[in-house]
């Protein structure tokens, strides 16, 4: 069976320089000896390397840009958005032994911080030059602090999620910025059978609760961390909608979001904003839109957290340089351009774009992202990935799936 | 038995039966291979997820070549599959020969094929709970290997048992009577007869490990195998599915001729000699 | 299942001998490699599964397991309708296996005992092997694009009357899940069944024909009994894989076909190991009862283990 890899390498060899292929071949041979290491470590050289692990969303499309700017190389291992898997990897698999930075959605610091798994952030670290100028609403938010106000992380990116839709199908102007109701997802007869709903309970239950409380006028204690009885109410509502045929399908992955939209299988979908971007690249500008809503949004933020083991490492300065980079203009500008996500210090992003001669259109888009975020964040927001009622929420979600 | 078969079972002489069997196979092969070739076509499409091949583009292959991250997981899966294939062949051959000689082969057999009935995620979770939560071991390549072996071994064993249970044991006694050593008997009498089973056991071990995902998810520690990498890429926010299509197409392009050739040599050419 | 724990020494050495021979001679008769293998197997397979039964009596609070024995996890499994997941999984797995058996047997019979040339046989086996190398998710994603309501196959389906024009098509249904699983698991059933049928001696078939048996009698009287080990192997392979199906229900079922693996993964997302444990225990119980019934019925109709007995002089 060895021929498989050999011929594959030969096939590739014709495409590019011999040296690179030889390195690949050598590393493939060395693999059985070094299987516990991420493969990219095998050819990474130099001391200023930082190993990251976390949600792929936070990745730059090309990390070499950062290496050029601050002289630190990033080896990033991407993972899904699943908090259970992340906690298991960090706690059970001892990921901190070989990782310098974790990037994940807010909430894990409440559990892993007090348990001594994370290293507190040294806000006075000399490499963290942008800390002072970072606004409190980002640096002291619950994304990076625990309930007692301990600083466990540095803010990376964030957004307020709603749903994507086809304006023409709903009879709306393509460039309309009208605030739409979440009833388009849950209730509207116009969209019956034309909705895809995310199958992740931590994402979809809070959105449903947000809509239901404005519909009934009875607010929940916390839409993102529902009490068992409240979860039951929300799920009863969802089951009723499911039986009424509101949902065409439940999706599970980003690639599925794109497929459903670009094949026009659904008219409305509670997806991530980059899916809408990706689809519009193919279907044309404003073919799909990401909604401004009346009721509110699912707000999330990613923080960068350090494993406690990183405290003794000789690359700690490099690690802090990367943390500082997350607060800087280059990272901010690239993330906003590529995904439409915001974060702290958007003004630095605009400044960076001007210095680097970005087109007027791209600069306008950055300013637009800033404006969009401000507008969305003024609405009610629900957020958390680690609800204390996770057990009953997961359990009730199963009831919805089985109904 | 029926006294008048030719009168009562005339339908079973129908000339269409072989054609029906053949058509079933042809249809299944079509259903298996149509999506594979469609996938190959999609891998050179600009919008692979749309189900529409045009416009064509080689950009995903360029992206695959730029992106070296899949090589590590690919190598890990290959090494793991080779290890499991060989382990399965050796263990299944030994156990498959020894088992029929025990007093209660049925019960032992049930114990050995037990993992077949345990859904993959359950078995992965059970092993994870024991090794990680109870014993506190660090998971990695070794724990994936244990999970894969437990999964693949029953297949290998059953394939070998299909041969050993039909094995005429008098051949071995004849060999012993003629003064052959145990090793000689194994090499000259049993091995040639068991060869198809051993090849099958290796192959099944290799294949089941190469694409195993459900157990690996729990047992991998921080090791990445190819299916896990594919899965992470598919659920990530930068959609990597086009790259996976390109990669799958390359694997298809390599394995298809390789296996057609291999099987032709094994079953056609060698048999003729 | 715990009843199948073997006493390896007693089994390897016949007890009549044990009574007469000294202890040392008895030790010499034990097949040590086999005994060691069985012991390791016991540790790696049975012990974790027993651990799972214990674990099902704990529960999870906010991502951490509480090690106080209780029945809360079991209660929640019935309250949320999670036990239905197991029944649904078994129903779909048995249906798929039955369909698979009919299809694979028909094709294998033709391939092994029809007039297929050696080359055709070898090429078919190769074609059945190659899909094992290819990522199941990418193969299944393709069906989603093809079966979708704007997919290229839909006009064909409308043409043959399978789908009504303007309807949502066949994707995102239990039908689609069955479809995907039958395709994916066909080689798993076909390979062992084919091996078993091809090993049936042609001379026996000819003899049966010469003695005036109809093809049906030759099939039920000669081919099926002689290929039974392979058929059983195929059924076990397919049933086991079908019960673990994960990719097809999540990609083709549109979230409405919640099967065991999907439910386990969901519990895992909140680190609810006790729920995983309880689901695993439940399916082991149900399968244990089924196997027991199988064995009891088998005993009535003849000694099943005789198919595993070798010829002794």
């Amino acid at each position: 069976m060895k021929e498989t890899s050999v011929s594959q390498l030969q096939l590739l060899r014709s495409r590019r320089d011999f040296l690179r292929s030889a390195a690949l071949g050598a590393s493939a041979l060395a693999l059985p000896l070094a299987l516990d290491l991420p493969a990219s470590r095998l050819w990474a050289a130099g001391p200023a390397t930082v190993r990251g692990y976390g949600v792929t969303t936070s990745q730059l499309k090309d990390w070499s840009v950062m290496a050029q700017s601050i002289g630190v190389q990033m080896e990033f291992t991407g993972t899904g958005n699943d908090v259970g898997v992340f906690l298991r990897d960090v706690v059970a698999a001892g990921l901190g032994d070989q990782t310098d930075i974790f990037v994940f959605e807010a909430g894990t610091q409440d559990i892993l911080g007090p348990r001594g798994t994370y290293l507190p952030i040294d806000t006075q670290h000399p490499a963290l030059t942008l800390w002072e100028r970072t606004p409190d609403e980002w640096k002291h938010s619950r994304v990076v602090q625990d309930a007692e106000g301990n600083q466990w992380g540095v803010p990376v990116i964030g957004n307020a999620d709603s749903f994507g839709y086809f304006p023409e199908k709903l009879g709306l102007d393509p460039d309309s910025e009208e605030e739409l109701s979440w009833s388009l997802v849950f209730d509207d007869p116009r969209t019956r059978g034309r909705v895809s709903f995310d199958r992740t309970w931590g994402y979809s239950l809070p959105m449903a609760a947000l809509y239901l409380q404005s519909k009934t006028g009875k607010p929940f204690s916390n839409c993102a961390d529902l009490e068992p009885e409240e979860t039951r109410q929300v799920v009863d509502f969802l089951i009723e909608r499911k039986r009424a045929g509101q949902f065409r399908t439940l999706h599970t992955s980003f690639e599925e979001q794109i497929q459903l939209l670009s094949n026009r299988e659904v008219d409305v979908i509670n997806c991530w904003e980059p899916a809408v971007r990706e689809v519009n690249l193919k279907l044309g500008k404003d073919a799909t839109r990401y909604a401004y809503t009346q009721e509110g949004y699912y707000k999330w933020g990613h923080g960068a957290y350090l494993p406690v083991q990183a405290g003794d490492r000789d690359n700690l300065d490099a690690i802090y340089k990367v943390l500082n980079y997350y607060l800087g203009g280059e990272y901010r500008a690239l993330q906003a351009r590529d995904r439409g996500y915001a974060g702290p210090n958007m003004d630095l992003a605009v400044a960076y774009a001007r210095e680097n001669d970005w087109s007027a259109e791209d600069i306008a888009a950055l300013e637009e992202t800033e404006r969009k975020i401000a507008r969305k964040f003024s609405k009610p927001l629900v957020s958390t990935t680690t609800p204390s009622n996770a057990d009953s929420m997961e359990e009730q979600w199963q009831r919805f799936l089985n109904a | 038995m029926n006294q008048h078969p030719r009168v009562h079972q005339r339908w079973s002489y129908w000339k269409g039966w072989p054609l029906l069997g053949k058509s079933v196979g042809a249809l299944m092969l079509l259903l298996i291979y149509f999506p594979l070739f469609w996938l190959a076509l999609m891998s050179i499409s600009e919008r692979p997820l749309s189900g529409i091949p045009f416009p064509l583009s080689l950009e995903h292959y360029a992206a695959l070549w730029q992106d070296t991250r899949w090589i590590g997981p690919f190598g890990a899966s290959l090494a793991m599959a080779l290890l499991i294939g060989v382990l399965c062949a050796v263990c299944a051959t030994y156990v498959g020969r020894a088992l029929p000689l025990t007093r209660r082969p049925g019960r032992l057999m049930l114990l050995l094929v037990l993992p077949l009935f345990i859904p993959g995620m359950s078995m992965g979770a059970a092993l994870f709970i024991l090794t990680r939560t109870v014993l506190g071991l660090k998971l990695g390549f070794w724990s994936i290997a244990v999970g894969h072996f437990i999964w693949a071994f029953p297949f290998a064993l059953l394939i070998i048992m299909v041969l050993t249970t039909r094995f005429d044991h008098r051949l071995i006694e004849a060999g012993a009577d003629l003064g052959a050593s145990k090793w000689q008997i194994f090499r000259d009498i049993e091995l040639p007869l068991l060869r198809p089973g051993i090849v099958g056991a290796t192959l099944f071990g290799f294949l089941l490990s190469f694409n195993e995902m459900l157990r690996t998810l729990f047992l991998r520690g921080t090791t990445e195998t190819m299916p896990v990498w594919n899965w992470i890429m598919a659920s990530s926010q930068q959609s990597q599915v086009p790259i996976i299509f390109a990669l799958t197409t390359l694997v298809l392009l390599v394995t298809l001729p390789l296996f057609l050739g291999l099987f032709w040599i094994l079953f056609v050419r060698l048999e003729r000699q | 299942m715990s009843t199948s724990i073997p006493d390896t020494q007693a089994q390897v050495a016949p007890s009549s001998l044990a009574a007469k021979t000294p202890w040392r001679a008895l030790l010499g008769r034990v097949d040590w490699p086999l005994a060691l293998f069985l012991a390791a197997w016991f540790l790696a397979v049975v012990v974790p599964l027993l651990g799972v039964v214990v674990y099902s009596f704990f529960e999870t609070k906010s991502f951490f397991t509480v090690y106080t024995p209780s029945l809360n996890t079991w209660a929640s499994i019935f309250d949320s309708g999670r036990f239905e997941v197991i029944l649904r999984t078994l129903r779909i797995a048995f249906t798929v296996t039955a369909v698979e058996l009919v299809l694979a047997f028909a094709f294998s019979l033709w391939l092994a005992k029809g007039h297929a040339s050696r080359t055709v046989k070898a090429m078919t086996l190769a074609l059945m092997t190659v899909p094992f190398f290819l990522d199941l998710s990418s193969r299944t994603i393709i069906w989603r694009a093809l079966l979708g309501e704007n997919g290229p196959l839909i006009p064909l389906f409308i043409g043959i009357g399978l789908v009504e024009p303007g309807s949502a098509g066949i994707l995102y249904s239990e039908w689609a899940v069955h479809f995907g699983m039958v395709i994916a698991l066909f080689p798993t059933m076909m390979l062992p069944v084919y091996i078993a049928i091809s090993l049936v001696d042609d001379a026996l078939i000819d003899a049966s024909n010469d003695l005036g048996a109809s093809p049906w009698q030759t099939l039920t009287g000669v081919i099926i009994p002689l290929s039974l080990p392979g058929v059983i192997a195929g059924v076990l392979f397919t049933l086991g894989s079908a019960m673990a199906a994960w990719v097809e229900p999540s990609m083709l079922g549109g979230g409405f076909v919640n099967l065991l693996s999907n439910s386990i993964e969901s519990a895992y997302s909140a680190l609810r190991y006790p729920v995983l444990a309880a689901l695993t225990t439940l399916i082991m119980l149900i399968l244990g009862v089924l196997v027991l019934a199988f064995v009891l019925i088998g005993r009535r109709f003849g000694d099943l283990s005789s198919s595993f007995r070798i010829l002794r002089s």
Side-chain angles (χ1 to χ4, degrees):
Chain A
M1 300 316 149
K2 210 149 200 163
E3 285 88 332
T4 316
S5 73
V6 173
S7 7
Q8 195 145 4
L9 287 171
Q10 278 166 350
L11 210 128
L12 296 168
R13 192 161 294 172
S14 60
R15 292 186 60 90
R16 276 245 182 144
D17 55 326
F18 175 76
L19 265 178
R20 191 168 179 189
S21 309
L24 298 185
S27 68
L29 290 177
L31 261 161
L33 302 172
L35 278 158
D36 271 329
L37 306 176
S40 47
R41 272 178 81 172
L42 292 168
W43 52 75
T49 297
V50 166
R51 292 172 297 263
Y53 176 91
V55 206
T56 39
T57 318
S58 70
Q59 284 191 89
L60 287 183
K61 287 200 168 164
D62 180 9
W63 280 109
S64 66
V65 179
M66 181 182 87
Q68 278 169 18
S69 303
I70 61 170
V72 179
Q73 237 173 341
M74 173 64 101
E75 286 170 18
F76 198 88
T77 308
T79 174
N81 222 13
D82 190 328
V83 68
V85 174
F86 178 78
L87 287 177
R88 191 218 59 173
D89 281 356
V90 175
V91 179
L95 206 62
D97 294 342
Q98 41 192 297
T99 306
D100 300 318
I101 296 183
F102 300 124
V103 180
F104 207 74
E105 266 187 67
T108 62
Q109 82 283 3
D110 288 338
I111 294 173
L112 298 178
R115 274 172 61 103
T117 310
Y118 285 165
L119 184 73
I121 297 293
D122 174 12
T123 54
Q124 304 301 315
H125 195 283
L128 208 55
T129 55
L130 294 171
W131 186 259
E132 281 311 315
R133 61 126 34 232
T134 301
D136 282 355
E137 58 176 6
W138 284 98
K139 72 181 176 193
H140 291 153
S141 78
R142 285 286 279 114
V143 171
V144 286
Q145 289 189 342
D146 64 16
E148 276 82 52
N150 299 307
Q151 193 75 40
W152 296 110
V154 166
V156 176
I157 45 171
N159 196 18
D161 282 7
S162 58
F163 52 89
Y165 63 96
F166 285 95
E168 37 150 358
K169 294 273 179 68
L170 304 178
L172 293 161
D173 252 0
D175 52 1
S176 154
E177 293 207 345
E178 186 188 331
E179 286 182 349
L180 303 174
S181 167
W182 278 93
S183 70
L184 283 171
V185 172
F186 297 107
D187 256 346
D188 202 311
R190 281 181 297 167
T191 57
R192 181 164 301 168
R194 304 295 308 165
V195 178
S196 184
F197 197 43
D198 196 306
R199 203 164 74 179
T200 319
W201 56 269
Y203 191 63
S204 281
L205 267 183
M207 290 175 175
L210 191 67
Y211 169 69
L212 192 62
Q213 71 175 6
S214 86
K215 182 185 170 176
T216 60
K218 290 182 213 144
F220 294 114
S221 54
N222 177 357
C223 285
D225 192 356
L226 295 161
E227 293 298 321
E229 229 1 82
E230 297 174 331
T231 314
R232 198 173 275 276
Q233 279 175 40
V234 176
V235 166
D236 282 342
F237 165 71
L238 285 174
I239 290 175
E240 185 260 304
R241 294 319 302 153
K242 178 183 173 183
R243 294 204 170 128
Q246 182 71 12
F247 308 117
R248 166 139 168 75
T249 178
L250 308 177
H251 58 270
T252 39
S253 66
F254 181 62
E255 138 273 314
E256 214 174 339
Q257 298 173 1
I258 297 177
Q259 192 178 27
L260 285 166
L261 279 175
S262 52
N263 292 355
R264 297 172 184 274
E265 290 254 343
V266 293
D267 298 343
V268 178
I269 174 172
N270 68 330
C271 62
W272 305 340
E273 191 159 1
V276 168
R277 264 170 198 253
E278 197 93 6
V279 169
N280 286 349
L281 287 179
K282 284 151 188 168
L283 296 189
K285 191 172 178 293
D286 286 337
T288 60
R289 299 273 298 176
Y290 205 60
Y292 288 101
T293 73
Q294 294 166 9
E295 293 91 353
Y297 301 86
Y298 180 88
K299 179 194 149 193
W300 54 267
H302 286 174
Y305 314 91
L306 308 183
V308 71
Q309 295 94 320
D312 306 324
R313 297 214 177 110
D314 49 11
N315 64 345
L316 193 61
D317 288 341
I319 295 174
Y320 270 93
K321 275 189 190 171
V322 174
L323 292 184
N324 198 54
Y325 183 75
Y326 282 135
L327 299 173
E330 182 171 276
Y331 180 78
R332 186 90 308 108
L334 293 173
Q335 280 290 359
R337 184 189 65 186
D338 295 342
R339 298 178 215 274
Y341 287 161
N345 304 327
M346 274 309 281
D347 53 324
L348 291 182
V350 178
Y352 169 86
R354 292 220 169 89
E355 278 163 32
N356 287 274
D357 301 323
W358 282 25
S359 71
E361 197 185 348
D362 281 345
I363 294 173
L366 283 183
E367 286 163 341
E368 167 65 21
T369 302
E370 195 176 7
R371 192 182 63 79
K372 174 194 81 186
I373 292 286
R375 179 173 168 192
K376 285 181 173 180
F377 277 28
S378 67
K379 281 278 179 179
L381 302 163
V382 296
S383 170
T384 185
T385 55
T386 47
S388 57
N389 292 309
D391 321 302
S392 64
M393 288 170 82
E394 195 273 338
E395 198 65 58
Q396 289 297 317
W397 187 252
Q398 283 289 311
R399 196 163 64 87
F400 166 63
L401 293 180
N402 288 325
Chain B
M1 283 283 158
N2 202 312
Q3 292 299 307
H4 307 285
R6 284 174 194 279
V7 179
H8 289 288
Q9 285 161 354
R10 194 170 284 157
W11 54 268
S12 76
Y13 291 88
W14 182 49
K15 294 276 182 285
W17 290 121
L19 183 68
L20 198 66
K22 193 175 167 180
S23 323
V24 165
L27 179 69
M28 290 314 290
L29 279 173
L30 181 77
L31 288 175
I32 292 171
Y33 277 89
F34 180 67
L36 289 177
F37 287 106
W38 195 262
L39 183 141
L41 187 61
M42 284 299 133
S43 75
I44 51 169
S45 155
E46 249 178 35
R47 291 172 45 197
L49 290 174
S50 64
I52 298 151
F54 298 100
L56 299 178
S57 148
L58 277 175
E59 62 178 303
H60 309 306
Y61 286 88
L64 180 68
W65 175 236
Q66 291 292 324
D67 192 335
T68 51
R69 289 173 302 171
W70 57 273
I71 293 176
F74 187 83
S77 279
L78 202 62
M80 178 71 73
L82 283 172
L83 176 73
I84 300 298
V86 171
L87 267 183
C88 274
V90 172
C91 295
T93 307
Y94 190 88
V95 176
R97 285 167 62 241
L99 208 57
L101 299 174
T102 59
R103 220 156 52 93
R104 288 212 193 93
R107 287 198 189 171
L108 285 181
M109 194 67 195
L110 209 57
L111 172 73
L112 290 170
V113 299
L114 180 63
L116 281 182
F117 297 106
I118 311 294
M121 285 220 182
S122 295
M123 197 65 231
L127 275 169
F128 173 81
I129 287 174
L130 181 75
T131 52
R132 183 63 219 172
T133 341
V134 179
L135 299 177
L137 302 173
K138 195 163 160 51
L139 304 185
F141 195 78
W142 72 270
S143 48
I144 303 179
V146 170
H148 284 193
F149 181 76
I150 290 173
W151 169 229
F153 179 76
F155 288 83
L157 181 67
L158 283 170
I159 289 171
I160 299 253
M161 294 287 283
V162 168
L163 291 166
T164 55
T165 49
R166 304 162 45 88
F167 195 78
D168 190 343
H169 216 244
R170 283 169 299 198
L171 288 174
I172 290 178
E173 276 156 28
D177 290 347
L178 293 172
S181 73
K182 274 190 170 180
W183 170 247
Q184 276 177 320
I185 292 174
F186 175 70
R187 192 191 58 193
D188 297 333
I189 303 176
E190 292 184 71
L191 197 60
L193 289 169
L194 295 182
R195 197 174 54 195
I198 296 175
V199 172
T202 318
L203 205 61
F204 254 90
F206 183 93
L207 297 171
L208 288 171
S209 165
F210 191 78
N211 259 339
E212 211 292 322
M213 162 88 174
L214 304 175
R215 293 157 192 82
T216 315
L217 275 184
F218 283 89
L219 298 173
R220 68 192 187 94
T222 53
T223 308
E224 278 187 353
T225 62
M226 199 67 227
V228 170
W229 188 81
N230 284 344
W231 174 68
I232 290 174
M233 287 302 116
S235 57
S236 78
Q237 206 148 358
Q238 277 164 298
S239 181
Q240 304 284 351
V241 169
I243 292 190
I244 300 173
F245 280 14
L247 191 58
T248 308
T249 306
L250 286 179
V251 176
L252 178 69
L253 286 177
V254 173
T255 51
L256 195 59
L258 190 76
F259 269 71
L260 288 174
L262 193 73
F263 276 59
W264 188 74
I265 290 170
L266 273 178
F267 296 109
V268 182
R269 200 138 149 239
L270 290 182
E271 295 280 313
R272 270 188 200 142
Q273 282 170 355
Chain C
M1 293 279 157
S2 56
T3 52
S4 62
I5 299 164
D7 179 355
T8 53
Q9 297 194 355
Q11 295 200 3
V12 176
S15 54
S16 58
L17 276 170
K20 290 174 199 161
T21 46
W23 185 237
R24 288 181 81 150
L26 177 70
L27 286 184
R29 286 186 144 269
V30 172
D31 187 340
W32 282 110
L34 178 66
L36 276 177
F37 182 85
L38 289 171
W41 188 259
F42 185 77
L43 277 179
V45 178
V46 181
V47 173
L49 293 176
L50 293 178
V52 150
V53 176
V54 175
Y55 232 79
S56 71
F57 293 99
F58 301 140
E59 62 178 316
T60 308
K61 290 261 182 239
S62 300
F63 300 99
F64 287 96
T65 306
V66 182
Y67 293 97
T68 320
S70 78
L71 286 173
N72 293 351
T73 297
W74 282 98
S76 77
I77 279 189
F78 287 92
D79 176 52
S80 63
R82 238 182 175 129
F83 70 98
E84 285 170 35
V85 167
I86 292 187
L87 302 181
R88 189 181 299 132
T89 306
L90 286 171
R91 173 168 55 78
I92 292 182
F94 276 106
T95 313
V96 167
T97 306
V99 172
E100 229 49 291
L101 182 59
V102 173
L103 295 178
F105 200 93
F107 181 48
S108 302
L109 193 60
W110 172 79
L111 192 65
K113 299 297 171 197
H115 301 288
S117 72
R118 245 186 208 149
T119 312
V120 170
K121 287 181 189 175
M123 294 303 102
T124 310
L125 290 184
L127 287 175
M128 288 293 168
T129 314
V130 168
F132 282 101
F133 280 97
L134 305 165
D135 184 43
L136 185 59
S137 1
S138 3
R139 284 152 62 193
T140 315
I141 287 177
I142 289 290
W143 278 118
R144 212 163 58 192
L146 290 172
L147 296 178
E149 62 179 12
N150 301 317
L153 289 186
I154 292 303
L156 180 76
F157 288 154
I158 293 174
I160 59 173
L162 201 66
V163 173
E164 281 178 33
S167 77
I170 47 181
L171 200 56
Y172 309 131
S173 65
E174 223 173 72
W175 198 94
V177 175
H178 280 103
F179 178 77
M181 284 171 70
V182 166
I183 294 170
L185 293 174
F186 186 73
T188 316
M189 178 70 91
M190 192 243 159
L191 291 174
V193 170
Y194 170 78
I195 292 175
I197 296 181
S198 68
L199 288 172
V200 174
D201 199 332
D202 284 339
L204 292 175
I205 298 173
D206 292 341
S208 172
N209 287 337
D210 293 347
L211 290 171
S214 71
W216 175 248
Q217 283 176 320
T218 306
L219 180 68
T220 52
V222 179
I223 299 177
I224 290 183
L226 286 175
S227 61
L228 204 57
V231 170
I232 293 175
V235 168
L236 295 184
F237 293 0
T238 314
L239 196 61
S241 312
M243 282 191 309
W246 184 45
V247 171
E248 299 92 344
S250 54
M251 286 193 167
L252 303 177
F256 301 129
V257 186
N258 196 25
L259 296 194
L260 185 69
S261 292
N262 313 103
S263 192
I264 287 184
E265 202 220 355
S266 166
Y268 188 38
S269 72
L271 294 184
R272 305 182 71 200
Y273 299 136
V275 173
L276 310 184
L279 285 173
T280 306
T281 307
L282 198 56
I283 198 152
M284 283 197 298
L285 274 176
I286 294 176
L287 288 170
V289 170
L290 286 176
V291 168
L292 200 67
F294 187 62
V295 169
L296 288 178
I297 294 168
R299 218 170 254 170
R300 274 195 71 160
F301 289 95
D303 190 2
L304 232 155
S305 62
S306 65
S307 14
F308 290 113
R309 192 167 292 160
I310 58 164
L311 291 163
R312 291 178 208 242
S313 52

